[in-house]
Amino acid sequence: MGRKIRRVVTGHDENGVATVIMDADADCILQRPNRPGVTLTNLWQNTKTPAAMERHDDPVTGPLILHPPKNGSVFRIVQFDPENPDELAKLDGKAAFSEMGAGANIVEGARHPFMHRTDSLDYAVVLTGEIYMMMDEDEYLVKAGDVIIQQGTNHAWSNRGTEPCQIAFILIDAKKD
Protein backbone atom coordinates (compact mmCIF):
# COMPACT_ATOMS: atom_id res chain seq x y z
CA MET A 1 0.00 0.00 0.00
CA GLY A 2 1.38 3.38 -0.98
CA ARG A 3 1.87 6.09 1.59
CA LYS A 4 -1.01 8.58 1.89
CA ILE A 5 -0.14 11.99 0.45
CA ARG A 6 -1.52 15.17 1.98
CA ARG A 7 -2.58 17.71 -0.65
CA VAL A 8 -2.75 21.37 0.34
CA VAL A 9 -4.25 23.67 -2.32
CA THR A 10 -4.21 27.46 -2.05
CA GLY A 11 -6.62 29.99 -3.50
CA HIS A 12 -8.54 33.08 -2.52
CA ASP A 13 -11.67 33.55 -0.45
CA GLU A 14 -14.63 35.70 -1.50
CA ASN A 15 -12.73 38.82 -0.30
CA GLY A 16 -9.64 38.06 -2.37
CA VAL A 17 -7.59 36.95 0.64
CA ALA A 18 -5.06 34.18 0.01
CA THR A 19 -6.01 31.04 1.92
CA VAL A 20 -5.97 27.26 1.81
CA ILE A 21 -9.05 25.98 -0.04
CA MET A 22 -8.32 22.22 0.17
CA ASP A 23 -6.37 20.29 2.80
CA ALA A 24 -6.80 16.52 2.87
CA ASP A 25 -5.19 13.29 1.79
CA ALA A 26 -5.27 12.94 -2.00
CA ASP A 27 -7.87 10.33 -2.92
CA CYS A 28 -7.42 9.80 -6.67
CA ILE A 29 -5.38 6.62 -6.18
CA LEU A 30 -4.81 3.62 -8.43
CA GLN A 31 -3.58 0.25 -7.22
CA ARG A 32 -4.25 -2.92 -9.15
CA PRO A 33 -3.46 -6.63 -9.09
CA ASN A 34 -1.98 -6.48 -12.62
CA ARG A 35 0.80 -4.23 -11.28
CA PRO A 36 1.30 -5.15 -7.63
CA GLY A 37 3.50 -2.92 -5.51
CA VAL A 38 2.81 0.25 -7.51
CA THR A 39 0.56 3.05 -6.27
CA LEU A 40 -0.29 6.06 -8.44
CA THR A 41 -1.71 9.14 -6.73
CA ASN A 42 -2.95 12.00 -8.88
CA LEU A 43 -2.63 15.36 -7.14
CA TRP A 44 -3.76 17.87 -9.78
CA GLN A 45 -4.37 18.17 -13.50
CA ASN A 46 -5.16 20.77 -16.10
CA THR A 47 -7.05 20.24 -19.33
CA LYS A 48 -5.63 23.19 -21.27
CA THR A 49 -2.59 25.38 -21.70
CA PRO A 50 -2.29 27.98 -20.40
CA ALA A 51 -3.83 26.51 -17.26
CA ALA A 52 -6.50 28.25 -15.22
CA MET A 53 -4.77 30.23 -12.48
CA GLU A 54 -7.25 29.22 -9.83
CA ARG A 55 -9.87 26.50 -9.46
CA HIS A 56 -12.01 25.68 -6.46
CA ASP A 57 -13.26 22.33 -7.76
CA ASP A 58 -11.16 19.18 -7.56
CA PRO A 59 -9.83 18.41 -11.07
CA VAL A 60 -8.69 14.86 -10.26
CA THR A 61 -11.99 13.09 -9.70
CA GLY A 62 -12.85 10.15 -11.89
CA PRO A 63 -10.73 7.31 -13.22
CA LEU A 64 -6.95 7.63 -13.16
CA ILE A 65 -5.43 7.27 -16.63
CA LEU A 66 -1.74 7.26 -17.52
CA HIS A 67 -1.68 10.12 -20.02
CA PRO A 68 -2.15 13.79 -19.25
CA PRO A 69 -5.27 15.34 -20.76
CA LYS A 70 -4.95 16.54 -24.37
CA ASN A 71 -3.23 19.95 -24.25
CA GLY A 72 -2.98 19.60 -20.47
CA SER A 73 -0.85 18.24 -17.67
CA VAL A 74 -1.05 15.99 -14.63
CA PHE A 75 0.88 16.03 -11.35
CA ARG A 76 1.20 12.67 -9.60
CA ILE A 77 3.34 10.71 -7.20
CA VAL A 78 4.06 7.06 -7.90
CA GLN A 79 5.32 4.68 -5.27
CA PHE A 80 7.25 1.64 -6.52
CA ASP A 81 7.67 -1.06 -3.87
CA PRO A 82 10.55 -3.54 -4.27
CA GLU A 83 9.88 -5.97 -7.11
CA ASN A 84 9.65 -9.72 -6.75
CA PRO A 85 11.30 -11.08 -9.94
CA ASP A 86 9.33 -14.36 -9.81
CA GLU A 87 6.02 -12.50 -9.56
CA LEU A 88 7.08 -9.94 -12.18
CA ALA A 89 7.72 -12.71 -14.72
CA LYS A 90 4.06 -13.78 -14.50
CA LEU A 91 2.53 -10.32 -15.04
CA ASP A 92 0.87 -8.99 -18.20
CA GLY A 93 2.09 -5.45 -18.86
CA LYS A 94 -0.42 -4.80 -21.63
CA ALA A 95 -3.35 -5.71 -19.36
CA ALA A 96 -2.00 -3.51 -16.56
CA PHE A 97 -1.54 -0.51 -18.84
CA SER A 98 -4.95 -1.10 -20.44
CA GLU A 99 -6.49 -0.49 -17.01
CA MET A 100 -5.03 3.04 -17.24
CA GLY A 101 -6.17 3.64 -20.82
CA ALA A 102 -2.67 3.01 -22.18
CA GLY A 103 -2.55 -0.57 -23.46
CA ALA A 104 -1.24 0.65 -26.82
CA ASN A 105 1.75 2.27 -25.12
CA ILE A 106 3.33 -0.95 -23.88
CA VAL A 107 6.47 -2.07 -25.74
CA GLU A 108 5.80 -5.65 -26.84
CA GLY A 109 8.61 -8.16 -26.24
CA ALA A 110 10.67 -5.75 -24.12
CA ARG A 111 13.03 -6.92 -21.39
CA HIS A 112 10.67 -5.65 -18.68
CA PRO A 113 6.90 -6.36 -18.80
CA PHE A 114 6.08 -2.70 -18.07
CA MET A 115 8.33 -1.06 -20.67
CA HIS A 116 6.21 1.68 -22.22
CA ARG A 117 6.26 5.00 -24.03
CA THR A 118 3.90 7.92 -23.70
CA ASP A 119 3.34 10.98 -25.85
CA SER A 120 4.25 13.35 -23.06
CA LEU A 121 7.13 15.37 -21.71
CA ASP A 122 7.63 14.16 -18.15
CA TYR A 123 9.49 15.97 -15.39
CA ALA A 124 10.31 13.65 -12.49
CA VAL A 125 12.00 14.01 -9.10
CA VAL A 126 12.95 10.97 -7.05
CA LEU A 127 11.66 11.77 -3.57
CA THR A 128 12.63 8.66 -1.62
CA GLY A 129 14.58 5.47 -2.23
CA GLU A 130 16.21 4.45 -5.47
CA ILE A 131 15.10 2.75 -8.67
CA TYR A 132 16.49 1.63 -12.02
CA MET A 133 15.22 3.53 -15.05
CA MET A 134 15.42 0.95 -17.83
CA MET A 135 15.73 2.20 -21.39
CA ASP A 136 15.78 0.15 -24.62
CA GLU A 137 19.31 -1.16 -23.97
CA ASP A 138 20.75 0.59 -20.91
CA GLU A 139 19.62 1.20 -17.36
CA TYR A 140 20.40 3.96 -14.90
CA LEU A 141 20.17 3.90 -11.11
CA VAL A 142 18.45 7.08 -9.89
CA LYS A 143 18.23 8.02 -6.23
CA ALA A 144 16.43 10.47 -3.95
CA GLY A 145 17.13 14.00 -5.17
CA ASP A 146 17.81 13.00 -8.78
CA VAL A 147 15.78 14.60 -11.58
CA ILE A 148 14.67 12.90 -14.80
CA ILE A 149 13.40 14.60 -17.97
CA GLN A 150 11.61 11.87 -19.94
CA GLN A 151 11.05 12.95 -23.57
CA GLY A 152 8.66 10.34 -24.92
CA THR A 153 11.18 7.49 -24.79
CA ASN A 154 10.68 3.78 -24.09
CA HIS A 155 11.26 3.16 -20.41
CA ALA A 156 10.37 1.02 -17.40
CA TRP A 157 10.94 1.40 -13.65
CA SER A 158 12.51 -1.46 -11.68
CA ASN A 159 12.88 -1.27 -7.90
CA ARG A 160 15.47 -3.93 -7.07
CA GLY A 161 16.14 -2.56 -3.59
CA THR A 162 14.57 -3.24 -0.22
CA GLU A 163 12.74 0.08 0.35
CA PRO A 164 9.86 1.75 -1.53
CA CYS A 165 10.78 4.46 -4.04
CA GLN A 166 8.54 7.50 -4.53
CA ILE A 167 8.79 9.67 -7.62
CA ALA A 168 6.91 12.91 -8.27
CA PHE A 169 5.93 13.26 -11.95
CA ILE A 170 4.57 16.18 -13.94
CA LEU A 171 3.36 14.90 -17.31
CA ILE A 172 2.72 17.44 -20.06
CA ASP A 173 0.88 16.52 -23.24
CA ALA A 174 3.36 16.64 -26.13
CA LYS A 175 3.67 15.78 -29.80
CA LYS A 176 6.56 14.95 -32.11
CA ASP A 177 7.63 17.78 -34.40
Side-chain angles (χ1 to χ4, degrees):
M1 176 72 174
R3 183 177 71 84
K4 287 283 192 181
I5 299 168
R6 178 180 176 201
R7 182 180 66 159
V8 179
V9 180
T10 66
H12 296 89
D13 68 14
E14 60 278 354
N15 298 315
V17 176
T19 188
V20 169
I21 59 172
M22 294 180 208
D23 184 353
D25 287 343
D27 61 4
C28 186
I29 298 168
L30 180 64
Q31 296 175 311
R32 59 218 190 278
N34 281 335
R35 185 58 165 119
V38 173
T39 303
L40 290 88
T41 304
N42 272 6
L43 302 169
W44 202 256
Q45 71 180 21
N46 286 299
T47 57
K48 62 183 179 179
T49 300
M53 179 68 74
E54 185 170 335
R55 303 177 63 152
H56 285 253
D57 62 318
D58 189 345
V60 290
T61 59
L64 191 152
I65 61 167
L66 181 66
H67 303 89
K70 189 75 176 158
N71 297 315
S73 62
V74 64
F75 177 33
R76 74 171 45 117
I77 293 179
V78 181
Q79 179 170 314
F80 298 89
D81 292 339
E83 290 178 346
N84 176 334
D86 295 331
E87 187 176 342
L88 192 66
K90 301 174 192 172
L91 298 175
D92 181 348
K94 189 171 190 87
F97 272 72
S98 293
E99 292 173 351
M100 298 183 296
N105 294 91
I106 205 76
V107 178
E108 300 282 348
R111 58 196 184 110
H112 191 282
F114 298 105
M115 180 77 70
H116 66 286
R117 177 177 178 215
T118 56
D119 295 325
S120 58
L121 172 62
D122 305 344
Y123 302 140
V125 180
V126 181
L127 301 173
T128 64
E130 62 184 41
I131 196 163
Y132 284 90
M133 178 179 63
M134 300 176 69
M135 307 299 288
D136 284 330
E137 296 177 358
D138 300 321
E139 52 190 52
Y140 302 86
L141 180 63
V142 291
K143 300 179 180 184
D146 291 346
V147 172
I148 301 117
I149 313 299
Q150 188 71 247
Q151 299 186 95
T153 55
N154 294 342
H155 66 283
W157 303 102
S158 178
N159 184 345
R160 300 173 195 158
T162 59
E163 300 295 324
C165 176
Q166 284 189 322
I167 305 177
F169 290 94
I170 299 168
L171 287 73
I172 302 167
D173 184 42
K175 63 179 184 175
K176 282 189 167 186
D177 287 332

